Structures are given as C-alpha cells and as structure tokens.
Amino acid sequence: MHFNLVKASNRRYLEELKNHAKQMPDVYKSVNIMQHTEWVINKPIFEVIKMCMENDFPLGKLPINPQTIELPIKPVDISTNKESLIKWKREASKVYEGRAKQNSKFIQVSQIIEEAEMLLDKGGFFYPYQLDFRSRIYPKPAMLSPQSADYSRALLTFKFGKRIGDNFDVLAIAGAGLFGEVDKEELPVRVKWIKDNMQRIIECATSPLAYTWWCDADKPFCFLAFCYEMKAYSDSDFSDSFITTLPIQADCSNSGLQHYSAMMRDEVGGKATNLVPSNKPADVYNLVAIKVTEKLKSKTDDLAKLWLDYGINRKICKKPVMCLPYSLTRYSCRQYLEDHVTKELAERGTKHKFGDDLFKATAYLTPIVWESINDVVVKARDIMDFLKSVARLVASENLPVCWTTPKLNFPVQMMCYKTESKRVKTKMGDSIVKLSIASQTNVIDKRKTAQSVCPNFIHSLDASVLQLAVVKAKEAGVDNFSMIHDSFGCTVPENKIMADAIRDSFCEIYKEDVLLNFANEMKAMLSDKNLKKFPTMPVKGNLNLDQVKQSVFFCI
C-alpha cells in the first residue's frame, strides 16, 4: 500500500515539501528510526482483555456489550399515568444514551482484540508512521497502536529487550506513575510505594481476574502489564541479567505551558511546569485548584458552598488547564467541568448536590476557573493573544499562516478555508431527497485561523522536540521507541539516555528565539498596510533554560 509521508491533499503543499526534503534530514531520520522498532503482542494482557470481552467483565474501564444494559422496568400504570410515563421515558433515555456511548467503545475494543489475535503468533511486526501538516508523527494503523487507548498500548511490548541492570528504581517509578496514587510525590516515595505494594502487584499478575486491585489505577491495563513485568523480574530474584521488554513512558508535565514558558523565559510559568529543578514536582493543576478554592471561599452564595463541599482538586482543573495552550474557550471549559463531574459519579461514585442542573452549576464555576488559570499562567495568555492577532492579519490578506519548525526545518502550512453549503435534490425510488453538501471555498476563514494558530504552533514545537530527541537518543544507543507526541517511551535501561536526549533537544530548540522567528516569517508575508498593525512582541522574562537539564520532573 502506498501513502504519502505527510497527510495532506493540497498538491502544491506536497510539492513544496518535496522541494524542502534536503533541508529537513532529521525529520526523515526520526520517522525511519521509529519505524525500525519491532513489536510483539503482550500475550498475558491479550488473554485478560479477551476473557473480559467474552464474559462481559467491565474490568479496567472496559465496556460491556451494550445490548446487556437493560431498560428500566415499566410501571404498571404507564398507560394511564402521565407522570409515570414521563419518568420512565426520562430513565429509559439515559439507558439508550449509555448504550450508544458503550456501543462505539465496545466495537473499538473488539476490533483491537481481533487485530491483536491476528498478530499474536507473527513473531514480530513494525509500524509505518505518517506526519500531519504540523509534522506530528502518528502510526498509520488507527486501532491497535502505541498511541491508542490504555488497553491498546498495554497489548504491545518490544520484541527485543535489554538487560535491566541496576534499574529497579526506574521500573518502580514508572509503575507508580501508571497507578497514579503517588505520581506527584518525590521519587523515593514512589519507589517505597511499589515496595510496600509488591505483594499486591505480584498477586495482580498471578490472578488478574480474581484480584482486581489493578483496576483502581489511572491506566489500569498498562499498570497490569507493569505487574506482569515486575513479577517476572521478581521471579528472576531481581537479577541484573533480567531481560525487560516493557515500554515505559516519560511524560512532560503540561508540555503546552512548558513551550510558552520557554519561549518567553517566564520564571513563574517555568517553575509551575518543572522547567527548573526542585525536590518535589510542581503541579500547575493543583496551583489553579488552590486559586479556585480561595475565590470560592470569598463568596457566600449557595453554589459556592456546594462546590466547596464537592471539593475542588487538581483533577477537576486538569483538563481546562491542559487545554489552555490549545485555544481553550469558556464554552469548552464549562463542558470539561461537567464531563468531569459526570465521569466521577459514573466511575467512582462521587456524589454531588447539584441535582439535575449541572449546566447551571458548571456555568457558575467556569469564570472562576478561567480567572484562576489566568492568575497562574499570565505569560501564556500574552503569547496566545499575540499569535491570534498575527494570524488574523495574515488571514485578512487571504494567505495561509506558514512557518518553519525550529532546528528541524519542516514547513508548516495552516490553511483554514471557509466552506459553503449547497442544496442538492436527488431521487431515491419514488421520493425526492434534499441533501446539503459542504464544499471548500478559496477564502481563508479569519476566525478559524485565529482559533487554530495556538494549538497548531504548539503541536509543531512538540513534534520538533520529539523528532530531535529520537535522533539524539538513537545516536546515544537507544533502540526501542514508543512515542506519543509529548510522551517518550523506551525500555528501562534506556531511560537515562532518553531523558538526557529529551532535555538536550528542548534546550537546543529554544536556543533560537522561536517566537521572533515566527514573527519574522509572518512579517515577510504581510503588506505594508498590515505591517503597521503588527502587534508588539510580548516582553520576555529571565528564566535560565539550561536549568531544564537538571530538572528531574521536567519529563518523567
């Protein structure tokens, strides 16, 4: 099967990429290095997931067959009592909604299991990778992949492992991170947590369907895969010669805000996102949660009291803060708050006193969360406003916003065209059917361009760090790569090399004035009239980026 390296349909853009081929050798190197990683199916995880799916065991957040979700029993007076009918319909609609949600997930997991079964005895397989227009790297297969859901990632392990050496702590820290109970604590606390729970870990690997403690983990199936690896390691009497094949991930702490803080040399943002060394990881989500709690305590109305009773923690603030660098809106902020409360009720039984009107409660909290985020990450908002203003100027000249990624030299072309809808009449049998067909125009959409520039710019920087890190890590001896944009996976003994490569790459990217380079590329596209309207560059701080190399919690 043939497919383009870059997912794009614009022929002129593809031609331009072809002309730039010699200017971006590390982009090609990184893709080829990742494609050289050989994988196999993790058989114990496969057997657990298959057993759960065949027997409707909803372990580890797996879906059950939606057809087994029963409708509420109809009241005996449903035909004569209007209130009973309305109440039953309301309860039944929730079941139908739940069935619809479960159905898509059930089909997805079923397809992933089928793919895994086909590959089970193949001896090894590889993933082809593809770039999007921002140079982000994705595996071509959509379902079973290293970038898919928890249960999908857990099904994959490296074919060729390495001797673990004296790296018990590295494996333990990775396992504690997957469970999530002490993942914001100091590293010795995480190692101790694994040692204290060693018997439970081994029991999970011995009888995962009977002893289901692993289901309490943030990433249940990846944690179960860790349990199997730790049990095998334990069975070897923790020998340095134990061959480990488990991919362990190092995740950047809110990479979007890290990029904004690095661009602006922002000391406050840098400290909040672990760009500077500390004994304990900074938690920007918790900082926002503290601000929100303080603001709620200063209010005296009932909704403020209800939210304080419910509890404002890092989890409820995580999604809004995480999405801020990607053009978070107040509308999506409110929706994330509602989704969190609904999910906590469904999965953890966390009750609330907001009644059926969650919209009103979350609409009340939204401006408070919004204001608190701006209190904590001031510089990020300045850069976002700058990027949006510049993007509007470029779009006003009916031009796509184009920039080159730092160090990697990948040409990004962001084309947000307006669409128009046409009504088409067609005949089906004896009936006339009217359809609406959307088609792209040649006019750039200014509003959509302004909304899209921040996430696309940050994603292109994520991609640059990842690609450069892959090349550096390979040169230093890493052979296995499991990459998810701002999450860097390898085997346990390769972890230190990968950690150094990530930090070196991040610092190398930001040796350049990334924002100034972007501004200069935009200025070269603008007319004299719009150059006069060009916004003032945000003022930089004094953060020393070399500190990133000593920051353990920058990416772990």
Side-chain angles (χ1 to χ4, degrees):
M1 179 186 287
H2 168 80
F3 56 87
N4 293 325
L5 175 63
V6 179
K7 292 184 283 187
S9 56
N10 188 298
R11 287 186 176 276
R12 283 187 230 169
Y13 178 48
L14 290 171
E15 191 64 32
E16 187 174 343
L17 286 167
K18 188 176 178 181
N19 294 335
H20 275 77
K22 291 183 179 179
Q23 297 171 28
M24 47 181 185
D26 284 345
V27 173
Y28 291 99
K29 273 186 193 176
S30 64
V31 174
N32 286 327
I33 289 167
M34 288 172 64
Q35 289 181 151
H36 198 258
T37 297
E38 192 167 1
W39 301 84
V40 290
I41 297 299
N42 191 327
K43 289 184 180 180
I45 296 293
F46 170 80
E47 287 164 3
V48 170
I49 296 177
K50 189 175 182 183
M51 182 70 74
C52 289
M53 294 297 288
E54 288 176 348
N55 295 279
D56 275 341
F57 298 152
L59 299 180
K61 302 174 187 176
L62 282 180
I64 59 172
N65 189 329
Q67 301 310 313
T68 62
I69 304 175
E70 296 182 357
L71 288 168
I73 299 170
K74 290 184 179 180
V76 291
D77 61 345
I78 193 168
S79 58
T80 56
N81 189 328
K82 189 175 179 181
E83 286 185 8
S84 292
L85 175 63
I86 291 170
K87 185 180 178 183
W88 182 85
K89 281 187 174 181
R90 189 180 293 121
E91 292 173 356
S93 70
K94 291 178 182 178
V95 174
Y96 285 124
E97 187 180 335
R99 280 182 180 177
K101 286 181 180 178
Q102 288 275 30
N103 192 51
S104 60
K105 191 175 179 182
F106 185 78
I107 292 170
Q108 183 188 55
V109 179
S110 300
Q111 288 178 337
I112 286 171
I113 282 294
E114 283 181 25
E115 287 181 26
E117 195 157 17
M118 286 191 295
L119 296 167
L120 198 57
D121 299 314
K122 290 293 182 185
F125 53 91
F126 301 87
Y127 279 95
Y129 285 86
Q130 201 174 22
L131 307 176
D132 67 8
F133 73 97
R134 304 161 301 191
S135 84
R136 263 195 157 191
I137 304 178
Y138 298 86
K140 183 64 177 168
M143 293 290 180
L144 177 64
S145 89
Q147 292 185 8
S148 192
D150 166 65
Y151 44 82
S152 177
R153 297 198 302 277
L155 281 164
L156 298 169
T157 191
F158 298 129
K159 180 177 180 179
F160 298 107
K162 291 196 173 182
R163 292 175 69 254
I164 196 167
D166 185 21
N167 284 299
F168 174 88
D169 287 4
V170 176
L171 181 60
I173 289 163
L178 291 169
F179 195 89
E181 188 173 306
V182 292
D183 60 326
K184 298 303 168 191
E185 300 297 331
E186 298 171 21
L187 299 186
V189 174
R190 304 185 201 188
V191 175
K192 183 178 183 302
W193 185 88
I194 290 293
K195 289 178 178 177
D196 290 346
N197 287 284
M198 186 62 75
Q199 190 56 45
R200 300 172 87 177
I201 289 166
I202 292 171
E203 207 165 333
C204 286
T206 306
S207 306
L209 297 177
Y211 190 75
T212 58
W213 173 65
W214 57 272
C215 295
D216 295 335
D218 284 351
K219 297 179 177 68
F221 281 101
C222 284
F223 181 73
L224 181 59
F226 159 80
C227 292
Y228 281 119
E229 192 80 354
M230 184 59 87
K231 182 181 183 299
Y233 186 25
S234 170
D235 291 344
S236 75
D237 200 22
F238 299 107
S239 167
D240 287 359
S241 300
F242 173 74
I243 303 298
T244 178
T245 60
L246 184 74
I248 64 164
Q249 301 292 138
D251 297 328
C252 290
S253 55
N254 200 313
S255 65
L257 290 177
Q258 285 181 334
H259 285 297
Y260 284 137
S261 299
M263 255 184 276
M264 296 312 298
R265 304 294 193 271
D266 176 17
E267 300 99 321
V268 176
K271 188 176 180 182
T273 56
N274 295 299
L275 295 187
V276 297
S278 64
N279 293 327
K280 193 172 181 178
D283 187 355
V284 68
Y285 310 126
N286 193 49
L287 291 175
V288 172
I290 291 168
K291 288 278 184 184
V292 173
T293 303
E294 288 172 358
K295 292 179 192 300
L296 287 172
K297 284 180 178 177
S298 68
K299 298 179 182 294
T300 56
D301 54 89
D302 291 339
L303 274 174
K305 292 175 182 175
L306 287 175
W307 274 114
L308 288 169
D309 288 343
Y310 179 79
I312 301 297
N313 56 25
R314 69 181 302 275
K315 287 187 176 181
I316 196 170
C317 296
K318 183 174 181 177
K319 196 70 181 284
V321 176
M322 191 166 54
C323 294
L324 173 74
Y326 311 110
S327 291
L328 177 77
T329 64
R330 287 191 183 229
Y331 172 83
S332 54
C333 181
R334 191 212 65 78
Q335 189 61 54
Y336 291 146
L337 296 174
E338 182 175 327
D339 291 346
H340 173 83
V341 175
T342 305
K343 185 179 177 183
E344 287 290 288
L345 180 61
E347 293 183 359
R348 303 176 189 271
T350 307
K351 295 180 181 178
H352 61 80
K353 299 176 182 178
F354 305 120
D356 294 329
D357 198 355
L358 257 182
F359 183 92
K360 182 180 178 182
T362 51
Y364 172 88
L365 189 63
T366 296
I368 300 171
V369 172
W370 188 269
E371 188 181 329
S372 300
I373 293 173
N374 290 335
D375 289 346
V376 174
V377 285
V378 181
K379 291 284 187 184
R381 181 63 65 189
D382 291 344
I383 302 178
M384 290 171 69
D385 291 342
F386 174 79
L387 293 172
K388 288 177 182 179
S389 298
V390 172
R392 285 191 197 96
L393 288 177
V394 175
S396 70
E397 300 200 17
N398 205 38
L399 293 171
V401 178
C402 306
W403 66 91
T404 308
T405 60
K407 288 292 177 187
L408 281 297
N409 298 320
F410 183 92
V412 179
Q413 217 174 82
M414 196 181 81
M415 295 171 281
C416 303
Y417 290 104
K418 288 184 177 180
T419 56
E420 60 182 12
S421 186
K422 293 181 180 178
R423 295 280 283 174
V424 177
K425 284 197 283 187
T426 185
K427 193 171 183 180
M428 295 183 69
D430 295 328
S431 303
I432 299 293
V433 179
K434 294 180 180 179
L435 301 172
S436 292
I437 298 176
S439 59
Q440 201 174 78
T441 68
N442 293 320
V443 180
I444 296 286
D445 189 327
K446 286 193 287 186
R447 184 185 63 82
K448 191 175 178 183
T449 298
Q451 286 179 334
S452 304
V453 69
C454 294
N456 288 332
F457 188 53
I458 291 299
H459 285 153
S460 74
L461 295 171
D462 262 346
S464 299
V465 173
L466 182 144
Q467 289 159 11
L468 195 56
V470 166
V471 173
K472 284 179 176 289
K474 179 64 178 175
E475 289 171 352
V478 176
D479 295 313
N480 300 293
F481 294 87
S482 174
M483 316 302 278
I484 319 172
H485 310 315
D486 62 349
S487 178
F488 303 77
C490 58
T491 60
V492 169
E494 296 170 323
N495 177 265
K496 176 65 170 66
I497 303 172
M498 179 68 83
D500 290 342
I502 298 163
R503 287 156 179 77
D504 287 347
S505 300
F506 189 86
C507 291
E508 196 169 324
I509 291 290
Y510 284 104
K511 276 181 183 175
E512 301 180 17
D513 193 329
V514 172
L515 195 62
L516 180 61
N517 289 348
F518 174 85
N520 288 337
E521 286 189 274
M522 297 304 108
K523 285 178 180 179
M525 301 168 66
L526 293 174
S527 63
D528 291 340
K529 179 184 174 183
N530 277 327
L531 278 173
K532 293 175 182 176
K533 300 177 185 176
F534 203 85
T536 306
M537 293 278 291
V539 179
K540 282 189 175 184
N542 296 303
L543 175 67
N544 178 8
L545 267 188
D546 285 338
Q547 294 179 90
V548 169
K549 294 180 182 179
Q550 281 75 50
S551 176
V552 173
F553 300 109
F554 164 73
C555 187
I556 191 166

